[in-house]
Amino acid sequence: QKEVEQDPGPLSVPEGAIVSLNCTYSNSAFQYFMWYRQYSRKGPELLMYTYSSGNKEDGRFTAQVDKSSKYISLFIRDSQPSDSATYLCATANAGGTSYGKLTFGQGTILTVHP
Amino acid sequence: SQTIHQWPATLVQPVGSPLSLECTVEGTSNPNLYWYRQAAGRGLQLLFYSVGIGQISSEVPQNLSASRPQDRQFILSSKKLLLSDSGFYLCAWSVQGFGNTIYFGEGSWLTVV
């Protein structure tokens, strides 16, 4: 079993839709949770960072962590064609954060069509 | 602001040839530096990390090596490439001690033929 599971999709939605992207993880030691956006043939870009359980909002993006169920989510409101990309979730435990050992999901491919 | 440069962006190399990918970071001092690899259908895998000049730690035994000759320079090398070395290689950095917020470069696409 992979430590972080992420449905690869692809996911296709119309412009303006609410998008829900999800990951599950198995290691209860993970405390840090990140979402990256990766455009085709580009490096990943850090979108959201959360610590422990709870919600974090940044503009149209909301990250949600439920440590009791080991479930992390990213919601995109009013989705735009420019949101079309691969979204990667990532996790780390306290020790891993000191040297950047993140565990990534395989990414979900999202297409927002006009 | 900080920027990270990585080159070359794309390369096609024959099996058994050497490899050198280079990365530099601007706008920060004493960063943590990383090399990740992204294979098709898989997440990113940490290959090497460095907390200072000459200090390299390897996460995965493989045909590759890394070096940090200067504070903001990180190099990924191989003496003899294998077909399995093909992939998307990403250099990244973070503030010293804050490895949970990592910033990636644009990546290098390597195809070994």
Side-chain angles (χ1 to χ4, degrees):
Chain A
Q1 179 191 8
K2 294 180 181 177
E3 283 194 289
V4 179
E5 298 274 2
Q6 185 176 7
D7 186 342
L11 182 62
S12 181
V13 302
E15 182 175 356
I18 297 174
V19 176
S20 173
L21 303 167
N22 309 292
C23 290
T24 58
Y25 63 94
S26 58
N27 189 343
S28 58
F30 289 146
Q31 298 178 48
Y32 301 87
F33 306 92
M34 285 68 68
W35 283 96
Y36 284 82
R37 176 175 61 195
Q38 186 175 23
Y39 291 114
S40 180
R41 300 185 70 86
K42 298 291 186 182
E45 170 193 11
L46 180 63
L47 268 182
M48 302 285 284
Y49 158 75
T50 53
Y51 170 72
S52 193
S53 286
N55 293 357
K56 185 173 184 179
E57 187 173 322
D58 184 3
R60 296 185 295 112
F61 298 89
T62 299
Q64 195 171 80
V65 176
D66 182 348
K67 290 190 71 180
S68 63
S69 59
K70 298 188 179 67
Y71 198 82
I72 56 178
S73 302
L74 178 70
F75 299 97
I76 306 175
R77 292 184 300 278
D78 188 25
S79 56
Q80 303 295 310
S82 59
D83 295 327
S84 298
T86 297
Y87 289 80
L88 299 156
C89 62
T91 62
N93 57 29
T97 59
S98 65
Y99 60 91
K101 185 171 183 178
L102 305 186
T103 302
F104 284 85
Q106 65 180 104
T108 300
I109 301 170
L110 171 68
T111 301
V112 181
H113 51 85
Chain B
S1 63
Q2 300 85 8
T3 57
I4 179 169
H5 303 283
Q6 184 179 343
W7 68 94
T10 306
L11 64 166
V12 179
Q13 296 284 100
V15 169
S17 65
L19 171 73
S20 180
L21 301 178
E22 192 165 338
C23 169
T24 58
V25 180
E26 297 178 357
T28 187
S29 295
N30 196 29
N32 280 5
L33 295 174
Y34 312 91
W35 280 108
Y36 275 82
R37 177 168 59 197
Q38 186 175 33
R42 300 175 64 180
L44 282 81
Q45 180 185 39
L46 178 62
L47 301 177
F48 300 95
Y49 68 93
S50 172
V51 298
I53 296 174
Q55 301 178 61
I56 309 295
S57 295
S58 173
E59 284 292 304
V60 182
Q62 60 215 316
N63 186 40
L64 303 168
S65 62
S67 61
R68 184 171 177 173
Q70 300 181 43
D71 180 46
R72 290 170 291 175
Q73 183 185 25
F74 208 23
I75 298 171
L76 183 69
S77 304
S78 174
K79 292 182 179 177
K80 290 185 178 182
L81 283 169
L82 306 172
L83 287 174
S84 57
D85 292 325
S86 295
F88 190 40
Y89 289 84
L90 290 151
C91 182
W93 74 276
S94 70
V95 173
Q96 185 72 240
F98 288 90
N100 49 328
T101 46
I102 293 177
Y103 303 94
F104 289 89
E106 289 295 284
S108 297
W109 287 93
L110 170 65
T111 303
V112 182
V113 295

